[in-house]
Amino acid sequence: MGIIGSKIKPFTAQSYHQGKFVEVSDADTAGKWSVFFFYPADFTFVCPTELEDLADQYATLQGMGVEVYAVSTDTHFSHKAWHDSSPAIGKINYHMLGDQNHTISNNFGVLREGQGLADRATFVVDPDGVIQVMEITCEGVGRNAEELVRKIKAAVYVREHPGQVCPAKWEEGAATLAPSIDLVGKI
């Protein structure tokens, strides 16, 4: 799939955000960390549990300078109707992008061929517009926003500390590694 390390492609979409319809484009992501959180459809089953979990972590992400863009192939009108009718979705303060023309889903390679729905996928984009993290799960497997926060912290750390990497289960403040010939075969 070769998407890690690639730049996001241009897009423009309507968003439902904090009670308003606003236009969002790739230019809005410049200079900050962003999460693109794709899900199949509004008014479904696993999706509201994931979106609510992400809403519960949104203040933490905002504190880290990260903006969140939930994306489905529904319209921004559908997002508003869902937000207004569901207590779980009503918690959302991040952008809910309508991708009914499939531009964003195609740009990230997550549009299900012949179905018109996006896969359950997450992408973390750095301030230069480069994709640093991606996760795609099958239809019935929900994601964990706490783990997403951990992965973003690791990606930020690696960006800010060239020559260092974060090992498995790394948590903020824990030891990192500096890859070298001396470590080969010792870990």
Side-chain angles (χ1 to χ4, degrees):
M1 185 175 271
I3 197 164
I4 295 293
S6 65
K7 286 195 82 136
I8 63 170
K9 296 176 182 174
F11 72 88
T12 301
Q14 288 294 313
S15 168
Y16 179 68
H17 185 239
Q18 299 180 348
K20 298 177 185 164
F21 295 133
V22 295
E23 187 172 274
V24 173
S25 75
D26 55 295
D28 294 306
T29 69
K32 60 185 155 200
W33 287 87
S34 301
V35 171
F36 287 84
F37 197 82
F38 291 87
Y39 63 98
D42 292 351
F43 298 99
T44 55
F45 314 102
V46 175
C47 300
T49 66
E50 294 183 305
L51 293 169
E52 180 180 26
D53 184 41
L54 189 56
D56 291 342
Q57 293 294 324
Y58 186 57
T60 299
L61 291 166
Q62 286 279 276
M64 296 166 51
V66 178
E67 188 52 72
V68 174
Y69 302 94
V71 186
S72 78
T73 57
D74 300 289
T75 68
H76 54 292
F77 299 116
S78 179
H79 294 333
K80 180 189 183 321
W82 197 24
H83 190 275
D84 291 350
S85 64
S86 166
I89 301 306
K91 292 180 172 183
I92 293 175
N93 288 315
Y94 50 80
H95 288 272
M96 297 180 77
L97 299 180
D99 187 32
Q100 65 273 16
N101 64 9
H102 305 161
T103 300
I104 308 168
S105 299
N106 274 318
N107 284 356
F108 282 86
V110 297
L111 186 68
R112 294 180 191 169
E113 195 71 36
Q115 293 184 28
L117 300 174
D119 282 325
R120 197 174 301 289
T122 308
F123 296 88
V124 176
V125 178
D126 74 16
D128 297 319
V130 176
I131 298 170
Q132 296 297 329
V133 174
M134 68 180 269
E135 176 184 19
I136 302 174
T137 67
C138 65
E139 178 67 27
V141 177
R143 294 159 284 182
N144 181 329
E146 240 178 62
E147 173 61 6
L148 174 61
V149 169
R150 187 196 71 79
K151 288 177 182 176
I152 294 169
K153 286 179 180 180
V156 170
Y157 185 90
V158 168
R159 179 182 170 96
E160 293 175 353
H161 299 88
Q164 294 185 37
V165 296
C166 297
K169 297 185 180 181
W170 179 85
E171 294 288 341
E172 190 172 33
T176 58
L177 301 171
S180 70
I181 190 123
D182 296 331
L183 287 180
V184 175
K186 291 184 181 177
I187 297 177

